[in-house]
Amino acid sequence: MAEQFFALENLHVSAGENEIVHGVNLEVRPGEVHVIMGPNGAGKSTIGYAIMGNPEYTVNQGHILFHGEPIEELSADKRARAGIFLSFQNPAEIQGLPMNEMLHQAVEQRRGEKISVWNFNKELKSVMALLRMDTSYAKRDLNFGFSGGEKKKAEIIQMLMLKPELAILDETDSGLDVDAVRTVSEGIHAYMKDKTGSLLIITHSTRILESLKVDYTHVIVNGRLVKTGGPELVEQINQSGFESFLPDQAK
Amino acid sequence: MEEKTYIEDIDRSIYDIRNENDDSYRIEDGLTEEIVRQISREKNDPEWMLQLRLRSLASYRRQDIPNWGPPIDELDMDHISTYVRPNTHMANDWESVPKDIKDTFERLGIPEAERKSLAGVGAQYDSELVYHNVKKEVAEQGVIYTDLESAMHGPYEEMIRTHFMKLVPPSDHKFAALHGAVWSGGSFVYVPPHVQVSIPLQSYFRLNAKGAGQFEHTLILVDEGASLHFIEGCSAPKYNVANLHAGCVELYVGKNAKLRYSTIENWSKNMFNLNTKRAIVEEGGSMEWVSGSFGSHVSYLYPSTILNGPHADVTFTGVTFAGSGQNLDTGAKVIHNAPYTSSYLNTRSISKSGGISTFRSSVSISEKAHHSKSSVSCQSLMLDSESRSDTIPAMDIRAGEVDVGHEATIGRISNSEIFYLMSRGMSEDEAREMIVRGFAGNVSKELPMEYALEMNRLISIEMKGTMG
């Protein structure tokens, strides 16, 4: 039997005193695209943060399993080096730290080998071209003064450079215009092309999913998965929203 | 995989290796007229210099210890030796420098930097220069770079006499007066009109002796239309008694001339660094200060600039890092004394593990200085809740039609920034260090590469808290 790649097992997550996610089960196999959809405040981003290891979120029950091992005790950097990536909804701006400098170190740590500046730059340049981002951004301070769209592109660039096994995209399409959504989607296609990476897409809209082959759709409401289905579920939500998934009193 | 190599080999010990005190001559501790006369005899001063020393001593006795900054009562002048002469004479090749002293400078990377990227080097060990050399092609341009003592006995005596402690008079404050009385060592630089010195000169000051003071004087004149980059570095091994540094830097920037003065200061944490730096800039001249303050127990350091001719400008870029046991009071001062002058102050201060870092800025715009511009930006970063950071801005504006701006921010490293970098694989320590390095990037960006690396290394040392 093949080793289990990634799973959430009865995952409960709290932020401070409040439990936000109440027992989520989910399994992702290599190369699959999963979508977690739900209304604002349902706990979507919390799941992403918990998987990545944000210390402000606590797993108080259940497990996050990566290659069959629980990882909820590992710090975020260890998870990142093992191959988990989170594309942030609002990436931090870091003044004085050039993107290429941070990313060079990150890529070396992820791959476990030295990469010459020459080879690194060559690779970065081609990835940036794919995302239609001017190469001058490589030398700019990380996300500092970037527009919303530039930040999202920079996240996808980092994903393509780091080549994670599991990438979580948190609201990557929010705040993007039509062209930027298309460009970012092309970046995501490039990531999926080699069929080894998996995607967990967290979104409340469906724009970014239009050009992607979705394997599973999960609907989360009030911290619980209320429905899991195939790509047809995306279509259903696109037409009638989350109304039908909400509990009676909330309608 | 562990961290990258450039932060792997951090070792405070290279700064901390002390040499045994086999000084050929160490003046008795304390400060008396006899001691001042003795130093003057040792140095073979011209009569005017002896008189300046005695006037300074009288001024020192009249003035009070400053009471507006960090406490300095642990500093007891009765236990400071103001003059320690190393057991050697000044050389112009490293082979003639005694081995223990030469090894010290080798460890600090000075001869290597000289070979690679400097036009000239002066190296002071305790109270005297042990090495001074300037590249032939720079000397051939007429550039003078030498020790003050020998310059005072040569053709530049008049120039020195008319500029020495004219910008920073002994009456300026108590430690300027002390400096005037017991100064020793330092450098004299003269760049003739329209000469561009394309690679930097550097002086390095090393205080090895325990319980001693270093009082070097740097006097630089950049004549009309000329340009120079001067780098100053300093360090000392740590002792459990107070050491004192009361240097003085006087910079004269002529008409349309340009001077950049960069400092990486890394005194040990028993050092009282009461240093005075001042520049005067004539019409169309340009002064740039780049200043990194990392060391010392207590610092009072406020490089000042007088913009004395129309269209003169000054840029001050500084970073101060105060760790455990450090109280670093730094800043910058600008006096706009002519129309159409501009000043840009951009500083960062960082405090950690109970360190205190205070930034004072003072901008005065005189009645004459209409159409002047000043922009001051101070940012502070506190790395934990026991540390303190303050910014104290002062502005005195007496002219109309001026454009003045000030902004100050005080902040902490946000958890979201740390988590963001950790999500890219950086350990928590690496993430913090990257954020702090980025924060201090305003200064490292302005330094030649070797010095930027040195500065980043000092930040790494501070972040790991391994400094004594």
Side-chain angles (χ1 to χ4, degrees), chain A residues 50-190:
Chain A
I51 296 171
M52 193 70 244
N54 186 332
E56 287 172 26
Y57 293 81
T58 317
V59 172
N60 37 25
Q61 212 184 315
H63 293 292
I64 302 165
L65 300 169
F66 189 51
H67 293 295
E69 297 289 328
I71 59 166
E72 59 273 3
E73 299 297 326
L74 296 182
S75 58
D77 55 319
K78 297 210 169 67
R79 300 184 202 191
R81 292 181 198 203
I84 296 177
F85 179 87
L86 172 64
S87 166
F88 283 63
Q89 188 178 353
N90 296 307
E93 298 188 358
I94 306 196
Q95 208 183 338
L97 177 63
M99 176 161 87
N100 57 358
E101 194 182 307
M102 186 286 291
L103 196 52
H104 193 174
Q105 186 169 342
V107 168
E108 285 186 343
Q109 287 173 336
R110 166 86 180 106
R111 299 186 196 167
E113 62 185 18
K114 288 270 167 205
I115 300 159
S116 71
V117 173
W118 172 264
N119 286 335
F120 173 80
N121 284 344
K122 210 168 78 180
E123 198 178 332
L124 179 59
K125 208 171 151 186
S126 78
V127 169
M128 289 183 82
L130 180 69
L131 269 290
R132 299 196 177 90
M133 202 171 194
D134 193 277
T135 45
S136 65
Y137 280 85
K139 287 182 185 164
R140 283 181 52 177
D141 295 355
L142 186 57
N143 297 323
F144 193 76
F146 286 21
S147 71
E150 288 158 356
K151 284 181 184 167
K152 297 297 172 68
K153 287 182 181 180
E155 292 291 278
I156 300 302
I157 288 166
Q158 293 177 49
M159 175 181 80
L160 290 171
M161 293 296 291
L162 288 165
K163 300 184 172 47
E165 294 176 26
L166 174 70
I168 306 155
L169 307 183
D170 187 5
E171 305 283 6
T172 292
D173 54 348
S174 71
L176 296 187
D177 61 28
V178 180
D179 287 340
V181 169
R182 194 174 304 129
T183 307
V184 163
S185 298
E186 282 169 27
I188 297 169
H189 276 287

Side-chain angles (χ1 to χ4, degrees), chain A residues 8-28:
Chain A
L8 303 179
E9 230 178 57
N10 186 30
L11 185 72
H12 291 248
V13 184
S14 37
E17 300 285 287
N18 303 324
E19 188 172 284
I20 296 168
V21 172
H22 318 284
V24 163
N25 291 289
L26 187 84
E27 187 182 348
V28 179

Side-chain angles (χ1 to χ4, degrees), chain B residues 126-342:
Chain B
D126 294 332
S127 299
E128 293 290 354
L129 282 140
V130 293
Y131 177 83
H132 224 295
N133 190 33
V134 59
K135 284 214 164 81
K136 198 163 136 257
E137 50 274 33
V138 177
E140 279 168 359
Q141 292 178 288
V143 174
I144 305 298
Y145 178 40
T146 180
D147 62 306
L148 269 164
E149 286 87 344
S150 59
M152 271 192 306
H153 293 286
Y156 290 90
E157 177 181 3
E158 182 62 15
M159 193 183 269
I160 293 169
R161 196 175 58 78
T162 51
H163 291 89
F164 186 91
M165 293 204 86
K166 292 294 187 277
L167 207 45
V168 182
S171 58
D172 206 68
H173 58 82
K174 192 171 183 73
F175 293 95
L178 175 65
H179 175 89
V182 300
W183 78 272
S184 177
S187 297
F188 170 66
V189 183
Y190 173 69
V191 186
H194 309 293
V195 168
Q196 322 296 321
V197 185
S198 52
I199 46 176
L201 299 177
Q202 180 181 25
S203 282
Y204 198 96
F205 304 108
R206 174 79 178 171
L207 180 52
N208 180 68
K210 178 179 178 174
Q214 194 169 54
F215 306 93
E216 86 290 348
H217 196 98
T218 303
L219 178 61
I220 299 179
L221 290 90
V222 185
D223 215 325
E224 185 172 341
S227 72
L228 174 70
H229 183 185
F230 190 88
I231 300 172
E232 168 193 80
C234 21
S235 70
K238 188 173 162 64
Y239 292 105
N240 54 6
V241 299
N243 274 25
L244 170 63
H245 175 240
C248 182
V249 174
E250 295 182 290
L251 310 173
Y252 294 85
V253 182
K255 192 173 167 185
N256 298 322
K258 207 173 149 101
L259 173 60
R260 169 179 277 218
Y261 194 92
S262 304
T263 306
I264 298 292
E265 177 269 301
N266 180 31
W267 293 118
S268 58
K269 292 180 181 177
N270 57 320
M271 181 69 89
F272 287 82
N273 182 35
L274 313 173
N275 209 15
T276 312
K277 298 183 178 182
R278 202 162 294 168
I280 187 162
V281 188
E282 302 302 338
E283 181 176 349
S286 190
M287 175 71 215
E288 277 180 74
W289 301 92
V290 180
S291 176
S293 296
F294 293 88
S296 84
H297 172 47
V298 169
S299 271
Y300 282 65
L301 178 64
Y302 322 97
S304 308
T305 310
I306 302 162
L307 299 172
N308 207 40
H311 302 284
D313 68 67
V314 60
T315 306
F316 181 93
T317 310
V319 64
T320 297
F321 195 135
S324 175
Q326 291 184 282
N327 190 340
L328 306 185
D329 206 280
T330 60
K333 195 170 170 179
V334 181
I335 297 159
H336 291 257
N337 199 35
Y340 302 100
T341 49
S342 332

